[in-house]
Amino acid sequence: MARGRQGNGGRKGGGNAQTLRDYWAHGAGAAKIKWGTPGDWSRCVRQVSKFMGPRAKGYCQLRHMAATGMTTSAHAKAMRGGSKKGR
């Protein structure tokens, strides 16, 4: 097998990226985050940053899209009823 193509970078412990994506978007991690409810992205960042540090923000944006089908900004706008706060 070609170098770097082992799926886990040749590290001990196994696992793969798709398994983690599924865990955070649809599995037990998603249950902790409660996608689709107010504060979901912040809960994701809080949970995932333990493992990814500052990269968690972008990762959680991608998982939010996978779990809800929309970006965090579109979701927030929909939750507000389609208008900006205070208008």
Side-chain angles (χ1 to χ4, degrees):
M1 186 170 263
R3 182 183 160 137
R5 304 289 285 170
Q6 290 87 6
N8 67 357
R11 297 179 305 273
K12 290 184 178 180
N16 67 41
Q18 187 60 49
T19 301
L20 283 174
R21 286 190 290 267
D22 291 342
Y23 174 85
W24 290 113
H26 307 291
K32 294 178 188 178
I33 294 166
K34 300 176 189 145
W35 292 115
T37 63
D40 54 1
W41 183 82
S42 297
R43 284 189 297 276
C44 178
V45 170
R46 194 167 39 254
Q47 291 287 325
V48 175
S49 64
K50 297 173 191 175
F51 310 104
M52 299 185 80
R55 296 177 301 151
K57 291 180 179 180
Y59 187 80
C60 287
Q61 173 68 17
L62 295 171
R63 298 296 66 80
H64 188 281
M65 288 182 65
T68 66
M70 60 179 75
T71 63
T72 53
S73 61
H75 184 237
K77 186 175 180 180
M79 295 292 286
R80 286 193 306 265
S83 64
K84 295 219 179 228
K85 284 186 178 178
R87 287 192 178 176

